[in-house]
Amino acid sequence: MPAIAPTAPRRLAAAPLLLALATCLAAPAALAQQKIEQQMSAEQFKNAGLTKLSDQELANLNAWLNRTLDAETSKAAVKAKEETAHERRGFFERSASKEPVVARMSGRFEGFQRGMTFVLDNGQEWRQDDNADLPGVNLDSPEVRITPSIIGNAWYLSVQGYNTRAKVVRVK
């Protein structure tokens, strides 16, 4: 039987090490600057094969974990901010984005009427806030575009294929 190379134990310990790394990356921000040996029990540390690392290797691992955690936390914060901004579009605060909301209306559309609520397939709900009228229309799940006004905090809904727009306010 061939001799096992000295690096084989490190390869065999890869699965527990990956589990340990995933655990560290999922740790709260308060743990971000703690060393891995402080975050794990002595038994977990040993079972992950980390006792085989030299002091310098362990220091390098801790530095890498902290950089990775900082980078992932920053990415998550940016993503959360973008998602929140998208989800809040159309509510009372002024939206920084001038991009329209484009979606499909859920169900039938039979024209505009003050006070009518339009439910979109993206989960948003908008209520008509003016007297715009569009008689004789009968569409199934039409595509709609909701655009912000140039001045003020008003939003206008238009249905694909029609020029009439209704002033709407987001209710959900």
Side-chain angles (χ1 to χ4, degrees), residues 79-135:
K79 184 177 179 184
K81 184 177 179 182
E82 290 171 355
E83 288 175 355
T84 300
H86 178 72
E87 288 297 316
R88 301 283 313 153
R89 289 191 69 218
F91 283 117
F92 299 109
E93 73 274 354
R94 185 70 180 151
S95 174
S97 175
K98 295 292 184 188
E99 293 298 313
V101 173
V102 179
R104 289 206 167 274
M105 197 173 291
S106 296
R108 305 286 308 156
F109 174 70
E110 297 174 347
F112 292 128
Q113 182 180 347
R114 186 189 240 343
M116 182 176 284
T117 299
F118 304 103
V119 179
L120 306 183
D121 64 355
N122 64 7
Q124 295 179 359
E125 293 183 15
W126 296 77
R127 185 184 68 243
Q128 184 174 337
D129 198 36
D130 69 358
N131 292 321
D133 190 20
L134 192 59

